[in-house]
């Protein structure tokens, strides 16, 4: 698997002085017939149980991807949003 960072995502991480990030899966509860919906959650620290994650180093950023995630061969982390609403997203995620 290849993991890459979009230039704007790398700039965002560097501006915040983040040198690691963890991508995890959380379940969102929905008050409807769906029950729970899986969603990704990005944090800017290392995971407690590193054995549950695949570790990658990209442009001096350590990236931990949960082994629960179903990913394509090429994964890209991109910056989305604008102003104070900027956030990182994972491109290359298959349906959970």
């Amino acid at each position: 698997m290849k993991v890459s960072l979009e230039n704007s995502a790398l700039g965002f991480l560097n501006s915040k002085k983040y040198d690691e990030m963890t991508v995890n899966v959380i379940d969102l509860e929905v008050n409807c017939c769906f029950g729970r919906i899986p969603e990704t959650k990005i944090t800017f620290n290392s995971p407690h149980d590193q054995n549950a994650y695949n570790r990658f180093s990209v442009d001096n950023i350590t990236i931990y991807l949960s082994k629960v995630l179903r990913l394509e061969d090429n994964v890209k982390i991109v910056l989305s949003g604008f102003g104070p609403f900027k956030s990182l997203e994972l491109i290359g995620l298959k349906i959970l």
Side-chain angles (χ1 to χ4, degrees), residues 33-49:
C33 55
F34 293 115
R36 295 177 183 257
I37 298 176
E39 182 68 48
T40 57
K41 179 180 179 183
I42 297 176
T43 57
F44 302 103
N45 53 17
S46 60
H48 295 293
D49 179 13

Side-chain angles (χ1 to χ4, degrees), residues 1-5 65 71-77 90-93:
M1 173 187 323
K2 180 183 176 193
V3 178
S4 62
L5 283 166
L65 298 177
L71 302 169
E72 296 178 0
D73 291 335
N74 292 311
V75 174
K76 188 173 197 175
I77 297 166
L90 193 67
I91 304 296
L93 180 65

Side-chain angles (χ1 to χ4, degrees), residues 12-21 44 60-61 88:
F12 174 81
L13 291 165
N14 288 334
S15 72
K16 300 284 188 181
K17 299 190 184 331
Y18 295 139
D19 59 359
E20 57 187 5
M21 64 182 285
F44 302 103
N60 296 319
I61 306 291
L88 298 177

